[in-house]
Amino acid sequence: GNLSLDPVLHIGSSLTAVCTISTELEITARSLYWTLNGKRLARNTYKVLSPTESSVTLHQLNGSLQRSGDNLVCHRSNGEVLAGSCLYVGSPPEKPINLTCWSRNTKDLSCRWSPGSQGETFINTKYILKYKLKWYGKEKDCEDYTGQMYTCYVPRDLAIFTPYEVWVEASNQLGSAASDVITLDILDVVTTDPPPDVLVSRVGDLEDQLSVRWGSPPALKDYLFQAKYQIRYRVEESDEWKVIDDAGNQTSCRLASLRAGTVYFVQVRCNPIGIYGSKKAGIWSDWSHSTAASTPGIDRSHIGSCDSKPTEHNSTLRKELKQFFGWMRKHSYGCTDVSIKLYDQWRVWLQKAQKTHDQVSKDKTHLLIRHISRQQIITVGTHDIGPVKRRKKQHFAVLCDPQKREPKDLFILLINRLTFDCVY
């Protein structure tokens, strides 16, 4: 049997298809049946045109269920396929909207758009990002569409101090459409990498403050511009960020009125404004990776800001930690760099670590903290030691001395409601 070529139809169209069979098959058209995407069609949609011709009529067609088309098939009574056709039912593309572009460190150009208010066309639709220098130059097509849907990336060969015209053209078998043309200068749409070297530390014994420092964008070090920074932070047990908008163009800030005895996660982002005198606002970078530190002291809830509100209260927790690490340095035979910072590092690793490590390299380890209930081993220093021995399941075990195999002393310290064992 045979059917006509694969048709392309508008949504809501009607279609009549005819299946013609060879007389050599010794079957009649009356015995045939039809399926659409594997589902048998009602008999009242068929019509026998002749002993060798059967037709089916479909009304008010919906958009194709798959990009490869809907399968309309003519079958013998035993299910054997005699002929088939792919139906492409959809709509022409609408005018692409919301075209925006940005350049990372002035070296490239990325653009994103939306396919129009209707969005779905139900058939294969091709989008091409086009760009050209405004007053001269040849029209070019963007070629890298490997990122997110409705985005394209131009990696190189872009001019600065000269505006570009950028637009998107959409087309399929039912029609075409083009977006509005936007005009941009690369210097006006610059974003950069997140600020590097973010460091969060305590401010002496002040319970309610943390100091945040970071580096300026290294990729823009040779450009004349003014950076603007934002900081956001949250407590360890919350997903809600507090944002500081007024960090200005400095590369440091002091968070104040924080909760004492609390671990905070901090991120920073940059907006490179005014590159070579650009009047545009610039585009914010992604946020930096989280950096964590804990405030000393007892719990006290406030809202943070970049203000300085000093306090001299020293918490019981900090005193215990000082005593603990001092005792470890005295007895650990080589754990010379044990400090209060290990507690902060442990809290960061505890939240980030996902995999189980049953043993560690003997020449790359100084101090280990093992969260047995989560089956994690966290490395926070460098020195020769052996693997951590299992202790009580409700404890965290810390092994500091490689020279003595058997436990000689047990020091248990309650830190922030968690019990540690220091084993020698």
Side-chain angles (χ1 to χ4, degrees):
N2 62 78
L3 290 175
S4 59
L5 295 176
D6 300 341
V8 181
L9 305 167
H10 287 267
I11 293 175
S13 298
S14 296
L15 169 75
T16 298
V18 178
C19 180
T20 303
I21 56 177
S22 171
T23 55
E24 297 177 358
L25 294 176
E26 297 182 351
I27 59 175
T28 63
R30 191 173 297 277
S31 65
L32 306 182
Y33 70 91
W34 294 81
T35 61
L36 181 63
N37 292 329
K39 184 178 180 180
R40 193 161 180 162
L41 296 173
R43 178 65 65 174
N44 60 12
T45 61
Y46 309 168
K47 187 175 182 180
V48 177
L49 302 180
S50 72
T52 59
E53 290 183 321
S54 173
S55 70
V56 65
T57 300
L58 304 175
H59 298 287
Q60 294 295 314
L61 290 168
N62 294 319
S64 294
L65 297 179
Q66 48 201 17
R67 297 288 181 180
S68 58
D70 294 329
N71 297 313
L72 181 63
V73 180
C74 174
H75 300 263
R76 293 181 67 162
S77 58
N78 64 0
E80 180 185 343
V81 174
L82 294 175
S85 179
C86 284
L87 309 183
Y88 297 94
V89 185
S91 58
E94 292 189 339
K95 170 184 173 181
I97 58 176
N98 300 329
L99 175 60
T100 57
C101 301
W102 62 96
S103 173
R104 187 171 295 276
N105 304 317
T106 75
K107 305 301 184 184
D108 57 20
L109 186 68
S110 297
C111 295
R112 180 193 302 120
W113 62 91
S114 300
S117 58
Q118 183 67 29
E120 182 62 73
T121 62
F122 298 98
I123 59 177
N124 284 328
T125 300
K126 185 176 183 180
Y127 293 89
I128 300 177
L129 179 77
K130 294 179 175 288
Y131 63 101
K132 65 180 288 293
L133 292 170
K134 183 174 182 180
W135 295 299
Y136 57 90
K138 183 180 179 182
E139 178 182 303
K140 297 181 180 179
D141 292 350
C142 180
E143 298 179 354
D144 186 350
Y145 297 88
T146 56
Q148 297 179 348
M149 186 176 291
Y150 309 125
T151 62
C152 195
Y153 176 65
V154 182
R156 64 183 71 85
D157 300 330
L158 293 165
I160 59 175
F161 303 112
T162 303
Y164 279 92
E165 292 181 339
V166 184
W167 68 99
V168 177
E169 294 182 356
S171 62
N172 61 25
Q173 292 169 289
L174 294 175
S176 62
S179 71
D180 291 334
V181 176
I182 65 171
T183 302
L184 59 88
D185 190 310
I186 297 297
L187 297 178
D188 292 337
V189 293
V190 174
T191 186
T192 189
D193 301 314
D197 306 323
V198 178
L199 175 65
V200 184
S201 58
R202 294 180 177 182
V203 183
D205 294 337
L206 300 181
E207 302 167 352
D208 65 342
Q209 298 185 29
L210 288 172
S211 174
V212 186
R213 297 182 180 278
W214 59 91
S216 58
L220 296 177
K221 61 184 178 62
D222 296 328
Y223 289 84
L224 179 64
F225 75 102
Q226 227 183 359
K228 182 179 179 182
Y229 297 98
Q230 279 186 345
I231 301 171
R232 70 177 184 179
Y233 62 96
R234 64 176 176 86
V235 295
E236 182 182 25
E237 63 271 15
S238 173
D239 293 328
E240 182 179 350
W241 294 92
K242 294 183 176 69
V243 179
I244 297 175
D245 290 312
D246 59 353
N249 63 356
Q250 303 300 315
T251 56
S252 65
C253 178
R254 183 173 294 189
L255 306 178
S257 297
L258 305 177
R259 279 173 21 193
T262 303
V263 176
Y264 282 88
F265 287 82
V266 181
Q267 294 179 325
V268 185
R269 67 176 181 174
C270 174
N271 186 335
I273 60 176
I275 295 181
Y276 288 141
S278 170
K279 303 298 183 182
K280 301 292 184 178
I283 299 174
W284 287 105
S285 71
D286 294 331
W287 290 101
S288 65
H289 294 298
S290 292
T291 303
S294 63
T295 54
I298 57 176
D299 288 341
R300 187 178 59 188
S301 299
H302 293 290
I303 298 175
S305 69
C306 265
D307 298 324
S308 176
K309 297 181 179 179
T311 176
E312 296 182 356
H313 183 75
N314 196 1
S315 70
T316 302
L317 175 60
R318 183 173 178 83
K319 290 179 180 178
E320 289 179 345
L321 284 170
K322 281 185 174 181
Q323 294 172 1
F324 173 59
F325 288 121
W327 183 86
M328 287 176 64
R329 280 192 291 269
K330 182 177 179 181
H331 295 87
S332 61
Y333 304 100
C335 294
T336 56
D337 62 345
V338 177
S339 71
I340 198 81
K341 294 181 180 178
L342 292 179
Y343 177 66
D344 296 336
Q345 294 178 25
W346 169 72
R347 298 306 290 269
V348 176
W349 277 99
L350 186 60
Q351 194 167 86
K352 289 184 176 180
Q354 298 295 329
K355 297 182 179 179
T356 301
H357 301 282
D358 293 328
Q359 62 181 18
V360 296
S361 171
K362 291 186 178 181
D363 61 349
K364 292 291 184 181
T365 308
H366 164 127
L367 179 63
L368 300 179
I369 299 178
R370 179 181 177 86
H371 189 330
I372 295 176
S373 64
R374 297 189 188 181
Q375 294 300 306
Q376 298 168 351
I377 292 182
I378 301 152
T379 304
V380 292
T382 57
H383 195 66
D384 291 339
I385 73 164
V388 174
K389 293 186 177 181
R390 285 182 175 271
R391 300 292 297 172
K392 296 178 182 179
K393 287 187 177 180
Q394 70 269 26
H395 289 169
F396 293 82
V398 181
L399 182 64
C400 297
D401 185 7
Q403 301 178 8
K404 299 183 180 182
R405 297 183 180 178
E406 298 298 326
K408 186 183 74 173
D409 190 15
L410 186 64
F411 182 84
I412 301 177
L413 176 66
L414 187 66
I415 301 178
N416 200 23
R417 301 184 303 277
L418 295 173
T419 302
F420 290 75
D421 287 355
C422 195
V423 186
Y424 295 94

